[in-house]
Amino acid sequence: MKTVSEIVRLGPVIPVLAFESVEQGENVSRALHAGGVKVLEITLRTSAGLEAIERASHLADDIVVGVGTITKPEHCGQAKKAGAQFGVSPGLTRDIHQAALDCGLPLLPGVMTPTDIIQAMEFGYEIVKLFPAQQAGGLAMLQALNGPFPGLKFCPTGGITAETAPSFLALPNVVCVGGSWLTPKAALAAQNWEEVTRLARAASTLAPTRT
């Protein structure tokens, strides 16, 4: 089982995915992996989420599938049973933290404010997700947070695009970014998996991951 620290360094971009069907999930996951994306965040925003996680986790030996949009403690165990290797939450509560610990699911918790960050650090987290990143202040917010929290690393997610991702990745406290631009709605509707692979290949070469 990889740690969150290891997972976020497998590539500069973690795609945030919500699938309309399990079949769509399998096709998109395969297309992303073909483009060099090794880490997927499959969210629980649709009913296809858990089964899509299960299928994606068997596509390749080097693929790392996580569950996104953890908002309830029970999501942790459900996702782990489906094959998720890590979890991502938009926020953090003590119950979610404990549930992730209890089932052995490495967690990337969401934060938005200094108070959120302090709570996450009290629980022992050294890497967090800034969400929603653009709405929370984007680049300026991350630069400001580096002062009081110099040892903390971020995976900003929310509103980041292919054009803005390099600026985020250039920050010293950003280890990777999350984004949905790798799976545009038009490409998914047209089942244009080649376009997904092209976008994944471009995202994989955006910037080297930080140590």
Side-chain angles (χ1 to χ4, degrees):
M1 178 67 69
K2 288 182 171 61
T3 65
V4 167
S5 179
E6 293 170 329
I7 291 166
V8 296
R9 289 174 170 84
L10 292 175
V13 181
I14 298 177
V16 180
L17 308 166
F19 297 129
E20 295 180 0
S21 68
V22 176
E23 290 72 22
Q24 182 189 69
E26 187 170 354
N27 286 319
V28 170
S29 298
R30 185 178 287 109
L32 289 167
H33 184 263
V37 172
K38 304 294 177 61
V39 182
L40 310 178
E41 179 190 334
I42 299 177
T43 70
L44 298 180
R45 299 177 188 179
T46 69
S47 59
L50 287 174
E51 191 172 346
I53 289 168
E54 185 173 3
R55 289 203 192 180
S57 65
H58 292 98
L59 288 178
D61 291 338
D62 62 346
I63 200 167
V64 179
V65 182
V67 57
T69 320
I70 291 177
T71 58
K72 300 177 181 179
E74 56 265 33
H75 288 161
C76 297
Q78 292 167 355
K80 184 70 183 292
K81 185 177 180 180
Q85 292 179 256
F86 70 103
V88 185
S89 62
L92 182 64
T93 65
R94 184 174 296 277
D95 287 346
I96 289 175
H97 165 70
Q98 191 61 51
L101 281 180
D102 289 345
C103 71
L105 186 72
L107 184 65
L108 177 65
V111 301
M112 193 176 74
T113 69
T115 300
D116 295 341
I117 291 171
I118 290 171
Q119 177 172 308
M121 291 175 68
E122 286 181 353
F123 290 156
Y125 294 97
E126 298 177 348
I127 302 173
V128 295
K129 176 178 84 163
L130 180 66
F131 178 81
Q134 284 288 26
Q135 294 85 344
L139 294 170
M141 181 66 160
L142 285 160
Q143 290 167 338
L145 291 172
N146 196 42
F149 308 109
L152 196 66
K153 299 297 183 183
F154 291 88
C155 171
T157 304
I160 297 175
T161 65
E163 292 72 30
T164 62
S167 297
F168 282 92
L169 290 166
L171 296 177
N173 56 346
V174 171
V175 69
C176 67
V177 300
S180 57
W181 78 85
L182 281 69
T183 53
K185 291 181 180 179
L188 268 57
Q191 299 186 25
N192 186 353
W193 314 130
E194 293 82 5
E195 174 65 4
V196 173
T197 296
R198 184 189 71 80
L199 292 169
R201 189 172 292 115
S204 297
T205 59
L206 272 177
T209 53
R210 294 183 174 271
T211 58

